[in-house]
Amino acid sequence: MRLKVLGAYGTTDATHNLTGYLVDDRVAVDAGTISSRLTLAQQSKIEMVYITHAHADHTRDLPHLILNRFHQDAPPLTVLAAEEVMAELEALYFNGRTWPNFTEFPSPVTGKVCVNYRPLKSGKKATVGGVSFTVVPVDHTVPAAGAIVQIDSQAIVFTGDTGPTKAIWQRAARSNSVVAIVTEASFPNDYEQMSKDSGHLTPALLERELTKIKNDAPVYASHRKLPYEMKIESEIRNIRDRRARILVEKQYTF
């Protein structure tokens, strides 16, 4: 299983990118960074995009990916999200005002609709194009759901943005296929109360989450806020759990 980290940050500048992941070149998870890091040819290979929640740092490039797909000779893109998250995406973005609803007219290239939206029920496993998604709510300030994404015999757990949580760790513990967990540490330890109030983790809070995680797999911290990048990374290195890792923008192979 290959995980390409297109963006690993909760803010952006010229050298750091917003949250976006690509699994085996065909499954994207979150879309803060997709079209801005991939060529048109690479984008055309993406079959599906799972969105954890509607905040802009996780959705920024999704409209552009869909627009590019509209003009490509490629199969329709499937956008997946928990039911509550999908309702927000449709209301906020694909409403004909913020961005066109491309399900309403065919592509001039293929003559077919270029995208379809598929809401998923929380707590249920759904299989799409040979990929299984187990959607589990997490604790954030807006409707949000992580997913256990499994291809063949391997799975990666993606929480998206979350504060201290429980359900997704319980569900992940039921799987022997988990090879990696991608979660977050947005702020340094000095900002613990603000992190809790905004539905995020610090390295210290992440260390407490690790006591709930039963899977023997690396646990990667993403979504670092740039002004605190070095301090957060130092604090992650001080976590007394060999599974704790800093997620960087590169390709991982499991």
Side-chain angles (χ1 to χ4, degrees):
M1 204 170 194
R2 287 172 288 112
L3 172 65
K4 184 180 293 184
V5 180
L6 304 173
Y9 295 89
T11 53
T12 185
D13 66 4
T15 59
H16 300 75
N17 298 286
L18 297 174
T19 307
Y21 314 113
L22 191 60
V23 180
D24 288 353
D25 294 325
R26 66 189 187 100
V27 181
V29 177
D30 281 333
T33 299
I34 293 185
S35 60
S36 52
R37 287 286 305 277
L38 297 177
T39 66
L40 287 175
Q42 290 171 320
Q43 292 176 48
S44 71
K45 295 178 182 178
I46 299 174
E47 300 171 17
M48 60 201 82
V49 183
Y50 179 81
I51 301 295
T52 60
H53 65 292
H55 278 160
D57 56 326
H58 294 253
T59 59
R60 181 193 65 178
D61 277 10
L62 183 57
H64 308 289
L65 176 65
I66 294 171
L67 177 58
N68 286 339
R69 195 57 151 258
F70 182 70
H71 293 285
Q72 289 180 306
D73 185 9
L77 179 72
T78 299
V79 177
L80 306 119
E83 291 175 321
E84 301 83 357
V85 176
M86 186 65 75
E88 291 218 329
L89 292 173
E90 291 178 340
L92 293 170
Y93 299 118
F94 309 123
N95 52 26
R97 299 184 301 277
T98 306
W99 200 252
N101 182 353
F102 281 96
T103 64
E104 294 180 347
F105 34 86
S107 161
V109 179
T110 65
K112 300 176 181 179
V113 170
C114 70
V115 64
N116 59 76
Y117 304 123
R118 180 166 174 177
L120 303 177
K121 289 186 178 295
S122 293
K124 303 290 185 180
K125 178 184 284 189
T127 301
V128 183
V131 182
S132 74
F133 296 83
T134 303
V135 174
V136 186
V138 294
D139 293 84
H140 196 39
T141 55
V142 297
I148 302 169
V149 179
Q150 183 164 341
I151 300 175
D152 297 327
S153 61
Q154 293 184 307
I156 299 176
V157 180
F158 296 93
T159 67
D161 289 3
T162 187
T165 195
K166 184 191 304 183
I168 197 165
W169 307 139
Q170 293 173 335
R171 190 60 181 259
R174 292 160 52 182
S175 173
N176 294 322
S177 301
V178 174
V179 295
I181 295 170
V182 179
T183 187
E184 65 127 285
S186 296
F187 297 102
N189 292 336
D190 292 345
Y191 290 80
E192 180 168 315
Q193 190 57 53
M194 186 182 75
S195 295
K196 289 180 178 178
D197 292 343
S198 60
H200 290 294
L201 297 174
T202 65
L205 290 173
L206 173 60
E207 188 167 17
R208 293 174 214 169
E209 293 301 288
L210 284 161
T211 66
K212 308 174 192 176
I213 299 172
K214 305 307 178 185
N215 306 84
D216 186 16
V219 179
Y220 294 96
S222 185
H223 205 258
R224 300 179 296 284
K225 302 296 186 181
L226 287 183
Y228 316 109
E229 178 186 11
M230 301 304 291
K231 187 172 185 182
I232 294 169
E233 292 181 358
S234 176
E235 291 171 348
I236 292 170
R237 292 188 188 97
N238 288 330
I239 292 176
R240 295 181 179 180
D241 189 312
R242 63 179 175 78
R243 296 173 296 172
R245 314 283 173 87
I246 298 165
L247 192 73
V248 298
E249 294 176 354
K250 70 172 190 178
Q251 180 164 293
Y252 297 82
T253 302
F254 303 103

